Amino acid sequence: MLKLINKFRKDEDGAVTVDWVVLTAAVVALAAAAYNSIETGTSNLSADTQSFIEGKDPN
């Protein structure tokens, strides 16, 4: 029984899985933050462009 407990304690296979899950979650969160920032900047640029074009006389 003691041998089984020592083997279980030294086994690190599960820890690698946890590391990958945490790393993947961090990458997804970073991508979501980057998307939100880019989307906000693009919306502002589009609104500014629309205002500029609407202010011009076509003639």
Side-chain angles (χ1 to χ4, degrees), residues 3-51:
K3 186 177 179 181
L4 179 65
I5 293 172
N6 283 335
K7 182 180 175 187
F8 178 75
R9 187 174 53 90
K10 291 178 183 178
D11 188 16
E12 296 183 0
D13 289 339
V16 173
T17 303
V18 172
D19 289 344
W20 275 106
V21 168
V22 170
L23 181 63
T24 303
V27 168
V28 168
L30 183 60
Y35 173 78
N36 188 28
S37 177
I38 291 170
E39 191 270 334
T40 301
T42 305
S43 295
N44 292 342
L45 179 61
S46 297
D48 292 345
T49 304
Q50 179 183 359
S51 297

